[in-house]
Amino acid sequence: MIFRNETTISLRTEKEAKTWFKTMLFWSFSIFFYSIVISGRILALIVEIKINKEKFMREVFPMPERQQINKSKKRVDARAKVTGKAKFGADLKFHNMLYGKVVRSNYPHARIKSINTDEAEAHPEVAVVMTAEDIPHNLFGVIIENQQVLAEDRVLYIGDGVAMLAADSREAAREAAELIEVEYEELPGVFGVEEARRPDAPVVMPGEENNQVIHHPLRKGDVEQGMAQADVVLERQYTTQFVEHAYLEPEAVTVIPEERNTLVTVYGSVQNPNATRDALATVLDCDLSNVRIIQDNMGGSFGGKDENISSMACRAALMALQTGRPVQLVNTREESIIESYKRHPYTMKYRIGARENGELVAMEIEAAADSGAYACQTPFVTWRSVVQATGPYEVPHVKTDTYGFYTNSPYTGAMRGYGSPPVIFAQESMMDELAWELGISPEEIRRKNMFANNSRTASNQKLDNHEVSLAEVMDKALEAIDYQEKYRRYSQPQPGDIKRGIGFAISYRGVSLGAEAIDAAGAIVSVQKDGSIIVYSGLAENGQGLKTIFSQIAAEELGVSLDRITHMETDTSISPESGSTVASRSTLMGGSAVKNAAENIKTVIKEFVAEEYDYQGEIVYRDDALFTSEGSKLVDFPELAASAFHSGVFLSSYGWYKAPGISWDEETGQGRPYFTYVYGCQAAEVEVDTGTGEVRVLNMAAAHDVGKAINPANVRGQIYGGTVMALGHALMEDLGFSEGYIRHTNFDEYLIPTIKDAPDNVEAIIVENPDPAGPYGAKSIGEPAMELGGAAINNALSQATGRRLRDLPLNLERVLLGRNLSREG
Amino acid sequence: MTEDIKFFQTDNLEAALELLVESSGVIKPVAGGTDLMVKIREDRELLQQFAGILDITNISELQGIAQEQDFVRIGALVTHREIIESELLQEKYPALVDAARAIGSTPIRNRATIGGNVCNAAACADTLGPLVAFEAEVVLASQAGERVVPVADLVEEPYQTIIRQDELLRHFRLPLPAEGTFSSFQKIGRRQAAAITRISLVLAARVSQGKVEHIKIVPGSAIPVPEPLTALEKRIKGQKIGEIDSRELSALAGEEMVKITGERWSTPYKKPALTTLVRRALVELKEVAENE
Amino acid sequence: MSKVKVAFTLNDQEISLLVQPGERLLDTIRDRLNLTGTKEGCGVGECGACTVMLDGQAVNSCLVLTAQVDGREVRTVEGLGGEEEVDKLQQAFIDHQAVQCGFCTPGMLMSARALLNDTSSPTREDIKTALDGNLCRCTGYKQIVEAVEAAAEAEGAD
Ligand SMILES: Cc1cc2nc3c(=O)[nH]c(=O)nc-3n(C[C@H](O)[C@H](O)[C@H](O)COP(=O)(O)OP(=O)(O)OC[C@H]3O[C@@H](n4cnc5c(N)ncnc54)[C@H](O)[C@@H]3O)c2cc1C
Ligand code: FES
Ligand code: FES
């Protein structure tokens, strides 16, 4: 999640986390000033934005004939993937490889009384058996270091590992794992945030005083004074569920001991190679340079292959070093669902005050997230919630508190959208409730309050350095789905059981990490002597298409065709550490770094061309050649590469991009939490069977301002995927939790949308208001695409039925009866 | 691999039946494997209980759909895909075809068999309802000979049938429906495809001269074993089609279900949902009858 | 242990092997034959990542015993394309951005190939039915449907 410029930052308590947060903010602030100096030109132009938008656009984005950018180029990895040649983590095999297996807790909370591994050790095919006793450095963690590689004396959730082994075959490993006997003393558990925050609640995390992981306050104006001015005050509670990432590929890692010059080399579906490297260096107590992570193709991640993969890599590494043999760990789907972290369930209390005409005057919000057994990324996830909780609306008086609490449920961490989908679900549902209460339309209430250029957010940030395009995205999405006509039609009485409704939601979303952490990324562009080009990036392909985007950017800058570029897998020993591939930051951060590297190369080329070809003017790079500004060809690119090489000129470069500055006051939540924002609107049309509770989403329209679409087909793909994922969360996804146990451990019960659940049509509308901060003006799309669907679908459903539901998922029982049913009663 | 079990394959029914008797331990038949393979994965020890697995998919006596004198024969090995594609079944037993269509997904329907669905006897098995509604019988074969049992009497409790270890389900016999028989199948799942049935309903009826002459109403996933809602059927049988009050009668269905199952955690949902399905089936029956 | 001898056609090649009685076709393909294009996503017939063609029909290889395919014909993603490196369907997946992470892709291709071999001009509903056993968490399915439609058209034009 975080970019770190020190080797290890290990925190064990909330207090330490806070101090660390402050340090980070100090750094961010310093960078802010630094960036003012270096980005003078941009800032000068930003001032101009208000004077003359068009002139500004022309100057910053002269947009000459582009050959790669804004084109739906085919994915660079598609061919390997359609032929079955692309290797994923579980596809690797190494000589003499062992198969690992982990024995997990049987209880959500228990003391481990004894572990007997004798029989397993005696198994003829077993090479090693280990427990926490054999692990001197047993703790790791990205923000707070309190996640156990294997549980020491207490298991804190159902997925905690207690022992592990490796054997010659998968079968033997499975068999031997069953021979390990663990004796537990079951302990009462803490489940749900309500229970966790009670003063007398048992403390989940050893060493803590209570169950609070973090608290982020935000104070603007005086909320009580605001409420007093309101004509209407609505108070509601919303909840969202635990959600499984359900990447199609279960986690897989292979660790090779002492390969080449490293202590361990790790291959696998690693979302954030640097974070996994940090965990390994901590647990193995070695230098970062001794750990090498090489990423394989990722069969989906969505934020979900981070801490759990780090944990697996640590386990496999320990066994690999113990045996001197490669060790592979591949989860079954059940293991994946039981062990991996989830999206945080939220309980959200909203109190909103508005005037009769719909104008918002005050919001009071409390959002509590279930962090499960570990801190994981809860401090940052809930931080994004605190920034976005009021939605994209101007509210003079705001009081928001977001919290995370430890419980004995599976731990929760990053998932596409991060802390925003739950609060958007609540807040955008609330907006409709309010409109209803006031007798105005959902559209009107939003138009009255939403951000425009120069609006001030709840953090009191003035939105003045980019186009605030809420009205534009909203207009476009609503038009595409024919909202007004359908809203009118579905507001009439509908005879029969089958009813239709239409609804929408809008959002603003901070781009990249914001004040979560220092925000910078790097890349390497290396021109070979035959003119082929190798790109390494610190941010990693997660299946979203990063390699294609980065290749397009490198190709664009150097004027070469895409097939000249080879984008390598992220390799921590080569690629510059760039923080995590999260927060939809790849295009903006990583893309800028690739662009910077290519620009550095062009600076060298310019000098070389001046000398070698006696041309001092602007060089135009296109069609695999260099041209003068008048259009006469100077030299073909491969020839240039060759002659540079033979003249001893180095055509490779690191590129680096540091995000513009930000600031944040931890006590009040005031400042500039993000350097820029994206805006989106999604609308959904649903059909509900009021006789059975079945809901079908007929159509969706999604308009997103992405700044600039480097690859429009890719952007659309993100939108289609994001909306359908949101549909799953909204209607069906349910882990069947009861008191820390998970009932739905495979895809027969944990249901995600099939092709028949996807809406008949999803209209993806790309809105482009280039942003000064991004490469070619590009911002982001991965997460915005999935944060709105839940609220839009809920609003559509409410219109259809005339009844408001406030808890996810909107399953058969809730829709038919207005409440959930469970086996436990 | 610890399981020391044997794998048998034969295309000869006699040989298969002989094997079931001769072997020292339990020989488990496998057809499409879509239930069995999942069970084995869930519980590895299951394999150890078998002395062997017998692949029956090549036995021709268990295959095919054919019309005989006064019934239609459906082999145990007929896949859900074959049911969907059969013009004969589409014409005679539309509710069965619709049930098959609602099962799992395409690759499952390509492989899973009607025999397997019935032998596995899950409460949510989708073909059981239509088979009971069409008053189908099964022909069970063993070395001792054949016995014929109504499908309605086959299932004792979920996952438990009266089929003996030494028997194979050979085929189903579905009486030819009388001219003008109407049938419908409805299913509610938690999603649009590959969904376990939350609740389903089969209605098969014949209206003659404005009166309901014959009616079968069988819910699925609502009661442990497939059986018709006989009290409700009695209320409807003989009634003039025009006088059927589908709203009132459908409410009785929910009550009859609760009488069979008692109140369960899922009852607050299943009761109104079943009521809806029955109401819709009756409304459709009326529409069809009135259009004739 | 009593191994079973099986002989079948895999991607147009005759092969013959000894397998365990309880061995899944998926494991035979991936582990014994090293064809790792076929994936495992759930092991219970729900995700479709393991889809292969058995006698021309799409089936979940995680639910098929290898011993059962004796004398039959099996095709995996590695066996698509034939002489060409990629066939029209695979090309359409590339062209229509129907691939994101790519984990579901081999299974999707096998289900779609089975459909196109049966039906030359499938409707959108036919396509959705043919792919209803293949989960994809990345794409939202839309570009996949478009790719199959385009492939049907391209193949129909031949
Ligand atoms: C992903 C998925 C989705 C599914 N969806 C549905 C659904 O929507 N609705 C539904 O009803 N079912 C569903 N099922 C369950 C299953 O597919 C069906 O029950 C199927 O019809 C079983 O047939 P089979 O041939 O695969 O059975 P098998 O697994 O081969 O056999 C099942 C059982 O029956 C026995 N058996 C099979 N044939 C005979 C015979 N001729 N004589 C004696 N014993 C025999 C076997 O020994 C075994 O115990 C689903 C399964 C999966 C994996
Ligand atoms: S692995 Fe076979 S269907 Fe998922
Ligand atoms: S492309 Fe990732 S699951 Fe389909």
Side-chain angles (χ1 to χ4, degrees):
Chain A
M1 182 72 249
I2 317 166
F3 166 76
R4 290 183 224 168
N5 50 3
E6 291 167 14
T7 44
T8 38
I9 300 170
S10 313
L11 310 141
R12 310 217 31 187
T13 62
E14 182 190 349
K15 206 164 144 243
E16 279 184 50
K18 283 209 162 171
T19 318
W20 182 76
F21 220 82
K22 280 188 189 146
T23 319
M24 280 297 171
L25 287 169
F26 168 76
W27 274 103
S28 311
F29 214 62
S30 318
I31 293 166
F32 176 57
F33 284 114
Y34 177 63
S35 65
I36 288 180
V37 182
I38 58 162
S39 55
R41 174 162 174 258
I42 300 274
L43 281 185
L45 286 162
I46 289 167
V47 178
E48 262 181 89
I49 196 170
K50 284 159 242 160
I51 307 162
N52 184 341
K53 184 183 162 196
E54 241 140 68
K55 175 162 175 269
F56 164 79
M57 299 314 273
R58 255 199 327 274
E59 291 212 5
V60 183
F61 309 104
M63 281 297 163
E65 205 26 42
R66 297 246 183 250
Q67 295 194 304
Q68 301 291 342
I69 302 304
N70 215 223
K71 301 246 176 336
S72 291
K73 294 283 169 184
K74 291 162 198 171
R75 284 179 67 110
V76 297
D77 52 359
R79 209 176 175 81
K81 287 176 175 173
V82 299
T83 51
K85 287 183 185 146
K87 293 283 181 218
F88 292 76
D91 299 339
L92 304 186
K93 264 186 201 168
F94 293 88
H95 177 65
N96 212 18
M97 184 170 89
L98 292 167
Y99 296 85
K101 190 85 186 169
V102 177
V103 177
R104 294 183 183 79
S105 166
N106 287 334
Y107 302 100
H109 192 200
R111 186 174 308 288
I112 301 171
K113 288 169 73 181
S114 67
I115 306 176
N116 185 340
T117 59
D118 295 351
E119 270 193 67
E121 274 167 80
H123 191 290
E125 285 185 67
V126 168
V128 58
V129 184
M130 294 176 94
T131 64
E133 261 182 22
D134 310 308
I135 311 172
H137 303 274
N138 192 31
L139 294 179
F140 69 97
V142 173
I143 302 170
I144 302 177
E145 197 173 276
N146 64 14
Q147 185 166 342
Q148 325 178 73
V149 178
L150 291 177
E152 266 174 61
D153 53 12
R154 272 205 288 156
V155 288
L156 301 179
Y157 82 108
I158 191 78
D160 251 337
V162 292
M164 61 186 180
L165 56 81
D168 292 329
S169 70
R170 218 176 289 140
E171 273 301 304
R174 193 186 51 70
E175 227 171 68
E178 279 166 19
L179 301 176
I180 294 180
E181 278 169 35
V182 188
E183 210 185 326
Y184 296 97
E185 175 196 335
E186 205 181 341
L187 300 171
V190 176
F191 307 108
V193 293
E194 292 310 325
E195 234 178 280
R197 66 196 304 183
R198 276 211 290 264
D200 59 341
V203 175
V204 172
M205 179 55 63
E208 290 283 348
E209 278 160 29
N210 56 42
N211 289 319
Q212 183 172 309
V213 180
I214 195 89
H215 169 210
H216 297 294
L218 184 149
R219 303 285 181 267
K220 181 189 181 189
D222 177 339
V223 80
E224 284 315 321
Q225 192 193 321
M227 293 293 175
Q229 294 165 14
D231 297 316
V232 174
V233 175
L234 278 195
E235 201 170 340
R236 298 284 186 269
Q237 177 168 312
Y238 282 80
T239 68
T240 58
Q241 78 275 43
F242 279 98
V243 175
E244 164 63 32
H245 299 79
Y247 25 74
L248 256 275
E249 176 209 28
E251 305 83 353
V253 292
T254 311
V255 176
I256 321 295
E258 321 225 14
E259 191 193 43
R260 309 257 155 80
N261 300 319
T262 65
L263 185 64
V264 286
T265 304
V266 180
Y267 297 87
S269 46
V270 185
Q271 179 186 336
N272 290 316
N274 284 308
T276 295
R277 185 175 69 152
D278 289 346
L280 275 162
T282 305
V283 170
L284 302 180
D285 195 22
C286 69
D287 290 345
L288 290 172
S289 56
N290 273 325
V291 178
R292 182 176 185 188
I293 318 274
I294 301 174
Q295 196 198 30
D296 290 315
N297 279 301
M298 299 276 296
S301 180
F302 316 110
K305 287 177 176 166
D306 204 335
E307 285 80 357
N308 51 344
I309 287 284
S310 292
S311 159
M312 285 173 75
C314 289
R315 291 169 181 170
L318 288 159
M319 295 194 286
L321 288 172
Q322 186 76 25
T323 56
R325 294 170 66 180
V327 173
Q328 186 168 77
L329 269 174
V330 178
N331 277 345
T332 62
R333 177 60 58 186
E334 288 86 350
E335 290 174 316
S336 170
I337 290 187
I338 285 173
E339 174 158 355
S340 72
Y341 55 89
K342 314 283 176 247
R343 181 192 292 294
H344 294 70
Y346 271 65
T347 301
M348 296 162 284
K349 297 192 175 98
Y350 270 73
R351 191 154 78 103
I352 298 190
R355 290 188 210 278
E356 222 171 314
N357 65 3
E359 194 187 320
L360 297 172
V361 283
M363 275 200 210
E364 185 179 1
I365 302 161
E366 192 205 83
D370 190 333
S371 184
Y374 296 115
C376 192
Q377 305 207 357
T378 300
F380 292 169
V381 170
T382 49
W383 182 75
R384 183 172 281 277
S385 310
V386 85
V387 178
Q388 282 184 245
T390 44
Y393 304 106
E394 289 208 64
V395 191
H397 304 284
V398 182
K399 173 173 183 282
T400 305
D401 294 276
T402 63
Y403 298 89
F405 293 100
Y406 291 110
T407 66
N408 292 110
S409 289
Y411 68 120
T412 45
M415 179 166 184
R416 193 178 194 177
Y418 221 55
S420 75
V423 293
I424 291 175
F425 167 70
Q427 180 273 324
E428 281 295 276
S429 295
M430 269 312 265
M431 288 304 277
D432 270 31
E433 289 207 59
L434 190 61
W436 203 340
E437 192 76 25
L438 294 167
I440 59 178
S441 75
E443 197 182 336
E444 192 184 340
I445 198 161
R446 287 179 174 80
R447 291 203 191 276
K448 187 150 263 154
N449 294 290
M450 71 194 185
F451 294 154
N453 283 335
N454 299 314
S455 285
R456 285 194 177 269
T457 67
S459 303
N460 212 23
Q461 177 174 9
K462 196 170 175 196
L463 301 172
D464 58 3
N465 64 349
H466 62 276
E467 182 67 17
V468 177
S469 52
L470 272 171
E472 188 180 355
V473 292
M474 194 164 129
D475 289 344
K476 289 188 167 157
L478 297 190
E479 195 195 323
I481 203 163
D482 196 11
Y483 175 81
Q484 272 138 1
E485 165 57 23
K486 286 176 181 165
Y487 182 76
R488 199 190 48 71
R489 190 153 17 111
Y490 302 152
S491 297
Q492 310 296 322
Q494 300 182 52
D497 288 352
I498 311 290
K499 316 226 186 264
R500 288 186 176 192
I502 191 156
F504 69 100
I506 59 176
S507 75
Y508 84 127
R509 180 181 183 87
V511 174
S512 200
L513 302 178
E516 282 166 25
I518 286 180
D519 207 357
I524 300 172
V525 175
S526 175
V527 179
Q528 309 300 300
K529 66 188 176 207
D530 62 354
S532 63
I533 296 167
I534 294 172
V535 177
Y536 271 99
S537 87
L539 298 180
E541 173 75 59
N542 285 183
Q544 81 280 47
L546 171 149
K547 285 181 183 176
T548 308
I549 303 301
F550 289 3
S551 299
Q552 280 178 267
I553 291 175
E556 175 67 38
E557 288 302 313
L558 297 171
V560 299
S561 53
L562 213 48
D563 52 21
R564 224 171 255 292
I565 315 257
T566 300
H567 196 302
M568 301 300 290
E569 269 65 56
T570 298
D571 176 338
T572 53
S573 295
I574 300 171
S575 319
E577 172 153 10
S578 303
S580 291
T581 311
V582 294
S584 305
R585 64 195 282 267
S586 1
T587 300
L588 192 148
M589 298 300 300
S592 295
V594 171
K595 189 161 181 272
N596 174 245
E599 280 163 356
N600 292 343
I601 293 171
K602 291 204 288 191
T603 307
V604 176
I605 291 177
K606 190 157 200 274
E607 272 174 39
F608 178 63
V609 165
E611 246 176 57
E612 188 78 14
Y613 301 96
D614 199 22
Y615 173 73
Q616 266 83 8
E618 277 301 313
I619 301 170
V620 178
Y621 293 80
R622 63 174 165 87
D623 300 324
D624 286 298
L626 280 63
F627 295 84
T628 66
S629 47
E630 274 75 47
S632 52
K633 190 195 254 187
L634 285 165
V635 57
D636 282 328
F637 193 83
E639 194 188 323
L640 170 90
S643 77
F645 178 79
H646 293 296
S647 312
V649 174
F650 184 54
L651 291 190
S652 295
S653 176
Y654 273 88
W656 191 248
Y657 181 75
K658 200 155 16 178
I662 42 174
S663 64
W664 182 253
D665 183 309
E666 228 191 277
E667 306 298 323
T668 62
Q670 301 293 285
R672 283 171 49 82
Y674 295 97
F675 57 84
T676 191
Y677 294 84
V678 290
Y679 302 90
C681 175
Q682 292 190 352
E685 182 184 6
V686 307
E687 185 172 275
V688 51
D689 184 335
T690 56
T692 63
E694 290 166 292
V695 179
R696 253 174 42 73
V697 181
L698 303 174
N699 293 297
M700 287 185 79
H704 291 274
D705 187 344
V706 299
K708 186 95 218 156
I710 307 280
N711 186 323
N714 213 334
V715 170
R716 281 195 294 273
Q718 287 294 317
I719 293 177
Y720 301 142
T723 48
V724 172
M725 187 181 268
L727 183 155
H729 292 17
L731 299 183
M732 61 186 81
E733 297 187 26
D734 177 7
L735 283 151
F737 262 105
S738 87
E739 307 279 275
Y741 290 91
I742 302 179
R743 261 203 325 267
H744 303 164
T745 57
N746 204 328
F747 287 150
D748 50 350
E749 295 181 298
Y750 189 80
L751 303 182
I752 64 172
T754 69
I755 197 165
K756 293 207 167 170
D757 296 285
D760 296 334
N761 187 34
V762 177
E763 199 65 40
I765 303 146
I766 299 173
V767 174
E768 295 182 313
N769 289 292
D771 193 294
Y776 316 99
K779 295 198 259 200
S780 59
I781 186 62
E783 295 178 283
M786 87 73 49
E787 67 183 9
L788 288 156
I793 290 169
N794 194 34
N795 287 340
L797 181 64
S798 295
Q799 201 212 2
T801 61
R803 179 162 70 183
R804 172 66 51 179
L805 295 175
R806 301 190 183 89
D807 308 287
L808 292 183
L810 307 163
N811 57 20
L812 295 171
E813 291 81 359
R814 286 203 174 97
V815 174
L816 187 67
L817 309 172
R819 67 192 160 98
N820 203 24
L821 300 178
S822 75
R823 241 169 265 257
E824 288 70 38
Chain B
M1 279 273 173
T2 46
E3 71 258 22
D4 195 15
I5 64 166
K6 290 206 167 70
F7 181 85
F8 304 98
Q9 197 175 42
T10 173
D11 53 8
N12 184 309
L13 179 60
E14 286 313 312
L17 296 175
E18 190 180 320
L19 192 72
L20 293 181
V21 184
E22 299 279 292
S23 297
S24 48
V26 175
I27 301 290
K28 189 73 179 160
V30 59
T34 60
D35 276 320
L36 189 63
M37 294 293 280
V38 174
K39 283 196 172 158
I40 290 176
R41 181 172 185 280
E42 245 162 48
D43 178 9
R44 296 266 172 171
E45 265 140 53
L46 201 64
L47 262 188
Q48 257 111 89
Q49 298 166 16
F50 308 144
I53 296 176
L54 168 62
D55 180 10
I56 58 174
T57 51
N58 294 335
I59 303 175
S60 58
E61 286 92 334
L62 273 55
Q63 294 167 345
I65 303 166
Q67 182 164 349
E68 317 256 309
Q69 196 105 71
D70 38 40
F71 59 84
V72 169
R73 184 168 57 77
I74 303 177
L77 289 173
V78 166
T79 63
H80 301 304
R81 180 194 178 123
E82 289 173 300
I83 293 175
I84 297 166
E85 289 177 350
S86 159
E87 280 172 24
L88 177 65
L89 300 184
Q90 284 166 17
E91 187 205 318
K92 306 270 187 234
Y93 312 102
L96 177 64
V97 175
D98 286 343
R101 203 173 269 131
I103 286 178
S105 60
T106 291
I108 295 293
R109 291 186 294 269
N110 283 345
R111 215 153 146 83
T113 64
I114 184 168
N117 195 238
V118 167
C119 292
N120 186 60
C124 58
D126 282 317
T127 63
L128 274 173
L131 289 169
V132 170
F134 292 121
E135 297 172 285
E137 297 170 325
V138 291
V139 176
L140 302 173
S142 70
Q143 278 213 309
E146 288 185 348
R147 57 176 179 144
V148 180
V149 183
V151 173
D153 298 341
L154 199 66
V155 186
E156 293 181 310
E157 55 180 280
Y159 303 106
Q160 186 63 54
T161 67
I162 60 159
I163 302 172
R164 294 193 312 260
Q165 208 77 90
D166 65 333
E167 284 179 320
L168 284 178
L169 198 170
R170 184 177 171 149
H171 60 253
F172 298 87
R173 294 205 310 220
L174 280 70
L176 282 174
E179 197 63 30
T181 298
F182 162 88
S183 75
S184 74
F185 174 83
Q186 302 172 76
K187 163 169 172 169
I188 303 172
R190 293 198 182 275
R191 66 178 174 193
Q192 307 293 324
I196 300 165
T197 299
R198 194 82 193 96
I199 189 160
S200 69
L201 185 82
V202 184
L203 181 143
R206 194 172 59 257
V207 178
S208 164
Q209 289 160 352
K211 272 192 182 163
V212 181
E213 207 179 79
H214 168 86
I215 186 149
K216 283 278 167 195
I217 300 176
V218 189
S221 254
I223 46 180
V225 298
E227 52 179 302
L229 298 176
T230 44
L232 179 64
E233 288 173 0
K234 232 181 243 155
R235 282 285 302 267
I236 298 172
K237 203 165 166 184
Q239 269 208 41
K240 287 213 182 89
I241 189 77
E243 286 169 11
I244 285 182
D245 183 339
S246 47
R247 207 162 273 280
E248 185 207 324
L249 290 169
S250 59
L252 298 178
E255 278 159 32
E256 191 170 353
M257 176 192 82
V258 179
K259 252 189 218 142
I260 299 170
T261 60
E263 281 285 337
R264 298 181 173 191
W265 70 272
S266 57
T267 306
Y269 174 76
K270 286 191 174 174
K271 195 173 159 189
L274 181 64
T275 303
T276 299
L277 298 187
V278 172
R279 172 166 54 82
R280 286 181 188 163
L282 288 174
V283 167
E284 201 190 343
L285 173 68
K286 283 174 75 171
E287 276 170 15
V288 171
E290 277 158 13
N291 285 340
E292 260 163 23
Chain C
M1 211 160 307
S2 41
K3 285 208 175 183
V4 190
K5 185 161 182 256
V6 282
F8 59 100
T9 311
L10 177 65
N11 299 334
D12 302 319
Q13 288 193 330
E14 304 296 325
I15 58 166
S16 148
L17 333 139
L18 283 177
V19 301
Q20 304 286 353
E23 187 167 319
R24 306 180 302 173
L25 181 57
L26 174 61
D27 295 323
T28 308
I29 292 169
R30 285 180 56 84
D31 296 347
R32 278 189 205 278
L33 303 167
N34 285 320
L35 295 178
T36 55
T38 307
K39 307 296 181 199
E40 174 162 9
C42 70
V44 295
E46 291 281 345
C47 77
C50 67
T51 309
V52 301
M53 275 158 66
L54 179 60
D55 291 342
Q57 292 189 356
V59 303
N60 305 104
S61 64
C62 68
L63 299 182
V64 177
L65 289 170
T66 308
Q68 284 189 289
V69 307
D70 190 54
R72 312 260 222 129
E73 196 194 322
V74 178
R75 188 171 298 277
T76 69
V77 68
E78 291 87 351
L80 290 177
E83 299 289 290
E84 310 289 314
E85 203 209 336
V86 293
D87 68 8
K88 291 205 163 63
L89 177 66
Q90 291 166 302
Q91 188 60 47
F93 267 59
I94 299 174
D95 294 345
H96 288 262
Q97 216 84 343
V99 180
Q100 286 189 31
C101 81
F103 199 76
C104 70
T105 309
M108 286 281 179
L109 287 166
M110 301 318 289
S111 290
R113 172 47 60 210
L115 169 75
L116 296 184
N117 287 355
D118 271 4
T119 321
S120 56
S121 46
T123 63
R124 185 160 275 218
E125 212 41 46
D126 291 340
I127 294 171
K128 289 189 177 181
T129 300
L131 302 181
D132 65 0
N134 295 86
L135 296 176
C136 174
R137 190 60 152 171
C138 302
T139 65
Y141 305 102
K142 183 165 172 173
Q143 286 153 312
I144 292 174
V145 174
E146 288 167 0
V148 179
E149 283 175 340
E153 206 160 295
E155 293 187 351
D158 290 346

